[in-house]
């Protein structure tokens, strides 16, 4: 801070008025007298001397008056300057009394009349600065000058001045005696400068805080960029990479040091063309693109860009998100959705097939039963008997077809037990080798020591036979001269993905594979191969139930079937059967289940026994909504000595049983009747007469139906359509068991 030059205020630089007289010619000393030789008493000489002396005095007076005028003028200029200088000036004596003060000093130290008068300087000095001020006065006393920086002067309770105090020592002359010691004090107000300094300091502090915030923001931004899950790449106006975060380094398999400075086209060849959008928008979503790793491997990424303009040019930030995981998830989801649709479709088709089989069973039962009655009425060797035998053969084929439909729809539970898959395969091999064409070779590859599987041997053989038959037809249909079928079996443990895709539970399995060298199948055919009645064979060469039955067999066995095929590369079917544990599960309910739990899958025909005894006829109540079946059963059982009461309305049957509970020895009822359930009739019959044997007959039996029937007390479940002898034997067995129980009682 520059200091004002106050030397013009120092009286020491000025000459006193009495010392400013211009020296004039010195008056000649009176001539010395020489008594001996010079005559001094003459009048002319004395007058001349006096005149000369007077002239000299007048000249000196003129000079004196001029000097006095000049001094007075200088004093007036000093007073004017002292009064009008824009500084607070005060003359203070040795006792701190203000001898003289200019108008600026009065305005500064006594702005209002209520303020303290400016009579002394030290009362205004803040106590904290008083010592420094006294030291400055002492220094001025010794050296002539002194100063104190930033002294606070308390003017009032609310007003204060902060300024620099400059002190100059002066001596005021007196008419008599030594000069007085005084101090000329100048107060330079530093308030505006201090305010500016404080403002600058505050600005500097604010700027420092702002810089710290910017540095912290940069660190946060760097942390965000480095921890982002998306690849972040910044490029300059020349499309050179300036930022390459760790995710980008992992995604593109390139270190940041190697990527910095590289062109964007190195990793995103198609994104560079889209940077032309920078003139149109600040952000753009470019969508899915193909990216390249440092090794040239292609990746599917989703790209978006952000454009930023600044003084140094333009910066483009590219965000790239890896779509590999998403595409895998979408593919997996599509696969699961396809499996779900296939499952729903197969479930719906199975339900439909079961319903159709129920009605068809009634028709077949009536046909086969009436054929048996007609055969019994024909004489041996009659031409009609030959026709009846053909009808019976066709009916039985139809019955087998219905059983295949039921197998597909999972309505006919298998007899599962620990089965040696190798033995089943060898038994099927003997049958296949007899029927295989000479141009087709059959190869067996069975792993040694295969564990037993929990399966129904008959259904496993049926599934294997269907697969091999389909392979033979596929090879022959394409006119291939020679072909081969490979049957393989090995113990496996499916991985998680295969188990999830096929719906397999965790555990050990035996994989039975049938592989052929046929023409293979396209994707459209693969989607429909398990649909019932779907076939690619010519008319009359297939029903389309072969693979549907295989699918049903594997579902009832809690296994799975995997198909791999493509045009020109043959087909490969793999069946996964669960390995049987040490504790083999109990077998499912057979076609006929007695109350005692004994199985009678193929009951032999027995004589009517007590039914033909003299004086005793057993009475059977048969309930079915199909009038033809009721009429047929009545005729069949009456020929064997039973009294049969047939009903097509279950409500009428209930009323008849309630009217005469002891009049019936057996109740046989259909399960599915319009507006009524056979289980309800079983329950009502047991309520009316608890000891009455009851059998439930149906062609659409599920595990739930079996459990509900047995829970209500049914003695047997009869699967329709059955042979006449089988039905009669079942009726006779139930009545005989009931009669034996009564005799024992």
């Amino acid at each position: 801070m520059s200091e004002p030059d106050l030397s013009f205020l120092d009286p020491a630089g000025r000459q006193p008025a009495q010392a400013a007289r211009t020296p004039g010619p010195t008056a000649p000393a009176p001539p010395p007298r020489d008594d001996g030789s010079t005559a001094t008493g003459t009048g002319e000489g004395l007058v001349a001397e006096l005149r000369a002396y007077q002239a000299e005095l007048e000249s000196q007076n003129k000079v004196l008056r001029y000097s006095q005028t000049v001094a007075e003028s200088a004093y007036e200029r000093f007073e004017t300057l002292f009064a009008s200088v824009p500084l607070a000036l005060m003359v203070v004596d040795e006792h701190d009394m203000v001898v003289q003060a200019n108008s600026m000093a009065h305005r500064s130290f006594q702005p209002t009349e209520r303020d303290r008068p400016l009579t002394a300087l030290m009362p205004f000095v803040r106590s904290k600065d008083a010592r420094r001020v006294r030291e400055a006065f002492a220094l001025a006393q010794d050296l002539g000058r002194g100063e104190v920086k930033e002294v606070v002067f308390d003017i009032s309770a609310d007003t204060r001045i902060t300024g620099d105090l400059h002190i100059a020592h002066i001596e005021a002359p007196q008419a008599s005696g030594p000069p007085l010691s005084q101090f000329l004090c100048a107060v330079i107000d530093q308030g505006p400068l201090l305010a500016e300094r404080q403002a600058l300091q505050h600005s500097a502090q604010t700027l420092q805080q702002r810089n710290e915030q910017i540095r912290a923001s940069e660190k946060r931004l760097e942390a965000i960029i480095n921890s982002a899950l998306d690849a972040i790449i910044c490029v300059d106006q020349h499309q050179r990479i300036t930022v390459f975060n760790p995710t980008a380094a992992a995604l593109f398999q390139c270190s940041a040091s190697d990527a910095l400075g590289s062109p964007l086209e190195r990793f995103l060849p198609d994104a560079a063309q889209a940077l032309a959008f920078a003139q149109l928008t600040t952000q753009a979503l470019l969508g899915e693109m193909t990216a390249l790793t440092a090794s040239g491997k292609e990746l599917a990424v989703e790209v978006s860009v952000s454009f930023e303009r600044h003084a140094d040019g333009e910066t483009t930030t590219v965000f790239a998100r890896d779509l590999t995981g998403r595409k895998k998830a979408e593919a997996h989801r599509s696969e699961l959705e396809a499996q779900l649709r296939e499952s729903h479709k197969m479930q719906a088709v199975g339900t439909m097939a079961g319903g159709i089989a129920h009605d068809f069973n009634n028709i077949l039962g009536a046909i086969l039963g009436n054929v048996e009655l007609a055969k019994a009425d024909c004489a041996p060797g009659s031409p009609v008997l030959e026709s009846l035998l053909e009808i019976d053969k066709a009916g039985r084929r139809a019955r087998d077809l219905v059983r295949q439909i039921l197998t597909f729809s999972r309505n006919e539970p298998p007899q599962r037990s620990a089965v040696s898959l190798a033995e089943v395969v060898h038994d099927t091999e003997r049958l296949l080798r007899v029927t295989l064409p000479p141009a087709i070779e059959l190869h067996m590859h069975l792993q040694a020591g295969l564990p037993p599987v929990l399966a129904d041997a008959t259904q496993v053989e049926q599934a294997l036979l269907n697969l091999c038959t389909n392979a033979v037809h596929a090879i022959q249909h394409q006119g291939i001269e020679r072909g081969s079928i490979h049957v393989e079996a090995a113990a496996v443990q499916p991985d998680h993905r295969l188990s999830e895709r096929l719906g397999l539970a965790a555990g050990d399995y035996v994989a039975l594979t049938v592989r052929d060298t046929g023409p293979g199948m396209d994707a459209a055919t693969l989607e429909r191969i398990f649909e019932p009645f779907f076939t690619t064979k010519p008319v009359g060469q297939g029903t389309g139930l072969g693979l549907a039955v295989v699918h049903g067999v594997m579902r009832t066995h809690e296994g799975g079937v995997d198909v791999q095929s493509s045009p020109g590369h043959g087909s490969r079917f793999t069946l996964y059967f669960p390995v049987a544990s040490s504790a083999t599960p109990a077998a499912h309910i057979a076609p006929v289940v007695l109350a005692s739990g004994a199985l009678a899958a193929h009951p032999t025909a027995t004589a009517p026994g007590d039914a033909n005894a003299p004086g005793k006829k057993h009475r059977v109540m048969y309930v079915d909504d199909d009038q033809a079946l009721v009429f047929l059963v009545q005729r069949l059982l009456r020929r064997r000595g039973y009294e049969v009461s047939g009903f097509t309305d279950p409500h009428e049957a209930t009323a008849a049983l309630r009217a005469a509970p002891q009049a019936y020895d057996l109740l046989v009822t259909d399960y599915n009747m319009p507006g009524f359930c056979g289980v309800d009739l079983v329950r009502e019959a047991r309520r009316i007469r608890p000891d009455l044997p009851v059998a439930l007959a149906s062609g659409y039996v599920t595990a739930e139906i079996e459990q509900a029937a047995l829970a209500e007390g049914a003695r047997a479940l009869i699967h329709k359509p059955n042979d006449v002898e089988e039905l009669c034997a079942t009726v006779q067995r139930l009545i005989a068991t009931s009669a034996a129980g009564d005799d024992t009682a």
Side-chain angles (χ1 to χ4, degrees):
M1 183 183 302
S2 61
E3 299 179 0
D5 186 7
L6 302 178
S7 59
F8 66 93
L9 298 177
D10 188 1
R14 295 183 291 114
Q15 294 182 356
Q18 60 272 19
R21 297 176 182 174
T22 303
T26 304
R33 291 181 177 181
D34 190 357
D35 294 334
S37 59
T38 303
T40 60
T42 61
E44 294 83 0
L46 182 59
V47 171
E49 289 180 0
L50 290 174
R51 289 177 179 174
Y53 184 72
Q54 183 178 1
E56 181 65 23
L57 289 176
E58 290 178 356
S59 176
Q60 291 181 356
N61 287 336
K62 290 180 180 181
V63 172
L64 182 60
R65 284 195 297 271
Y66 175 77
S67 299
Q68 185 177 359
T69 302
V70 170
E72 291 176 355
S73 176
Y75 181 76
E76 291 177 357
R77 288 196 300 272
F78 171 76
E79 289 292 338
T80 303
L81 181 62
F82 183 83
S84 60
V85 69
L87 293 174
L89 298 179
M90 295 169 286
V91 178
V92 181
D93 63 8
E94 294 179 340
H95 305 290
D96 193 39
M97 296 298 295
V98 178
V99 178
Q100 187 178 2
N102 65 353
S103 58
M104 179 62 73
H106 285 289
R107 286 197 300 270
S108 299
F109 286 86
Q110 191 179 2
T112 64
E113 294 181 355
R114 295 188 299 272
D115 294 326
R116 180 171 44 193
L118 184 58
T119 57
L121 179 62
M122 291 304 295
F124 289 94
V125 177
R126 187 177 60 177
S127 58
K128 184 178 179 181
D129 301 329
R131 182 180 59 82
R132 294 192 299 131
V133 172
R134 293 190 184 93
E135 292 177 354
F137 273 102
L139 184 63
Q141 180 72 32
D142 296 336
L143 303 179
R145 295 177 62 87
E147 62 181 26
V148 188
K149 301 290 185 181
E150 297 182 8
V151 179
V152 178
F153 299 94
D154 294 327
I155 307 304
S156 63
D158 301 327
T159 307
R160 63 180 54 185
I161 297 175
T162 302
D164 296 342
L165 177 61
H166 295 266
I167 305 171
H169 181 257
I170 59 175
E171 291 183 352
Q174 297 186 90
S176 61
L180 294 177
S181 177
Q182 295 180 344
F183 301 93
L184 180 61
C185 300
V187 178
I188 302 175
D189 189 5
Q190 300 292 341
L193 295 177
L194 292 176
E196 183 179 358
R197 182 189 303 171
Q198 292 177 356
L200 291 175
Q201 292 176 350
H202 179 71
S203 299
Q205 185 178 3
T206 303
L207 182 60
Q208 183 179 2
Q209 293 177 354
R210 181 61 179 170
N211 291 335
E212 292 177 355
Q213 293 176 357
I214 292 175
R215 286 193 294 269
S217 178
E218 290 177 349
K219 291 182 179 179
R220 287 195 300 269
L221 179 60
E222 182 180 1
I224 292 173
I225 292 176
N226 291 336
S227 61
L229 299 179
D230 294 340
I232 299 178
I233 304 174
C234 295
V235 296
D236 56 15
Q237 60 269 28
H238 304 295
Q239 298 186 11
R240 296 286 179 176
I241 297 176
T242 58
V243 175
F244 202 75
N245 72 335
T247 304
L251 177 62
F252 298 107
Q253 299 178 5
C254 180
S255 62
S257 58
D258 185 22
L260 294 179
S262 301
L264 184 62
E265 292 86 346
R266 177 183 177 185
F267 304 105
L268 296 170
D270 300 331
Q273 301 176 358
L275 298 185
F277 292 115
Q279 304 299 328
L280 303 177
T281 182
T282 58
Q283 292 181 346
L285 179 62
L286 305 184
E288 183 175 345
M289 289 187 175
T290 301
L292 298 177
T293 63
S295 59
K297 180 182 177 181
E298 292 186 352
L299 296 173
V301 295
E302 185 180 42
V303 179
S304 60
V305 293
S306 175
F307 306 104
E308 181 183 358
R309 298 178 180 87
H310 46 79
D312 297 334
E314 296 180 354
T315 299
T316 303
T317 304
V318 180
F319 303 90
R321 179 171 297 176
D322 187 11
L323 298 181
T324 304
R326 182 190 301 180
K327 285 187 172 295
K328 289 183 179 179
E330 291 177 354
H332 184 57
R333 183 178 62 184
S334 300
E335 184 179 351
L336 293 179
E337 290 177 353
Q339 293 177 12
L340 181 61
R341 288 194 300 268
E342 180 70 16
S343 175
H344 288 172
K345 179 179 67 176
M346 301 305 290
Q347 183 178 3
V349 173
T351 303
M352 180 188 67
I356 295 175
H358 169 264
D359 293 335
F360 198 53
N361 276 334
N362 291 340
I363 300 172
L364 287 177
I367 293 174
L368 293 176
N370 282 285
V371 167
E372 290 293 331
L373 293 175
K375 285 166 43 179
D377 294 337
C378 288
S382 172
V384 178
L385 182 60
E386 184 177 355
S387 298
L388 292 176
L389 291 175
E390 290 298 324
I391 294 174
D392 184 71
K393 186 186 300 183
R396 292 179 183 276
R397 287 177 58 193
R399 182 186 64 182
D400 295 337
L401 181 61
V402 172
R403 287 181 176 175
Q404 286 188 344
I405 296 175
L406 292 174
T407 301
F408 162 74
S409 61
R410 302 177 66 187
N411 292 322
E412 189 171 292
Q415 290 284 339
R416 297 174 63 189
S417 59
V419 174
S420 173
L421 193 61
E423 294 182 2
V424 175
V425 172
H426 287 306
D427 292 341
T428 309
E429 179 186 3
R430 287 192 293 269
L431 179 61
L432 286 173
R433 291 195 182 278
V434 175
T435 58
L436 277 179
I440 299 179
E441 298 178 356
L442 179 63
H443 302 278
M444 294 288 178
H445 307 280
L446 304 181
Q447 181 180 342
L450 286 175
V453 297
L454 186 62
D456 186 326
T458 302
Q459 292 193 4
V460 174
E461 183 177 350
Q462 181 183 9
L464 179 58
L465 188 62
N466 287 352
L467 290 178
C468 293
T469 303
N470 276 354
V472 171
H473 290 169
I475 294 174
Q476 290 180 335
H477 179 64
Q478 295 296 324
I480 301 175
E481 295 183 358
R482 301 193 62 84
S484 61
I485 300 174
H486 299 265
V487 178
E488 304 169 356
V492 297
Q493 190 170 13
D495 56 21
H496 176 72
R497 184 167 184 179
L498 180 62
S499 300
E500 188 178 38
R501 181 165 60 86
L502 299 181
L504 301 177
D508 296 328
Y509 290 81
V510 174
L512 179 61
T513 303
V514 177
R515 176 169 49 89
D516 63 64
T517 58
M521 296 176 286
D522 56 14
T525 305
L526 282 174
E527 291 181 358
R528 303 188 59 189
I529 57 175
F530 294 120
E531 293 182 11
F533 310 111
F534 173 78
T535 180
T536 58
K537 302 174 185 177
V539 177
Q541 295 188 14
T543 61
L545 286 173
L547 293 180
V549 169
V550 173
H551 186 274
V553 167
M554 297 313 300
R555 294 187 66 179
T556 57
H557 282 71
E558 300 178 0
V561 53
D562 186 25
V563 185
Q564 298 177 3
S565 181
S566 59
H569 295 85
S571 300
R572 181 189 185 96
F573 290 82
T574 303
L575 309 181
Y576 292 90
F577 292 94
V579 173
S581 59
S582 56
T584 304
H588 290 272
I589 301 174
V592 179
V593 181
L594 301 181
S596 61
L599 301 179
H602 301 285
T604 59
T606 58
D610 292 341
N612 295 331
K616 185 177 182 181
K617 283 190 175 182
H618 294 284
R619 190 171 183 179
V620 178
M621 176 183 286
Y622 186 80
V623 184
D624 198 302
D625 61 314
D626 194 325
Q627 180 64 42
L629 280 180
V630 173
F631 181 68
L632 172 65
V633 172
Q634 285 179 332
R635 294 177 60 194
L636 287 173
L637 295 181
R638 284 171 182 173
R639 287 195 178 190
R640 283 164 173 76
Y642 296 100
E643 292 184 2
V644 183
S645 298
F647 296 90
T648 58
D649 186 354
H651 298 285
E652 294 180 1
T654 304
L657 183 62
R658 186 177 290 109
Q662 301 298 327
Y664 301 96
D665 299 301
L666 176 65
L667 170 62
V668 180
T669 177
D670 187 24
Y671 170 76
N672 191 9
M673 293 177 286
F676 206 86
C677 178
V679 177
D680 296 334
L681 183 56
V682 173
R683 185 185 306 111
E684 189 65 24
R686 297 284 296 175
R687 186 180 296 113
I688 295 172
R689 182 182 165 186
D691 61 337
L692 178 65
V694 182
L696 189 68
S698 178
Y700 183 67
V701 180
T702 63
E704 291 79 7
I705 295 175
E706 295 174 357
Q707 294 175 2
L710 294 179
E712 295 298 336
R715 299 285 183 90
L717 291 175
I718 302 175
H719 291 260
K720 299 187 299 184
N722 51 0
D723 294 333
V724 172
E725 296 298 334
E726 180 183 341
L727 174 62
C728 295
T730 302
V731 171
Q732 174 63 29
R733 187 182 296 271
L734 291 176
I735 291 177
T737 303
S738 177
D742 294 340
D743 295 340
T744 303

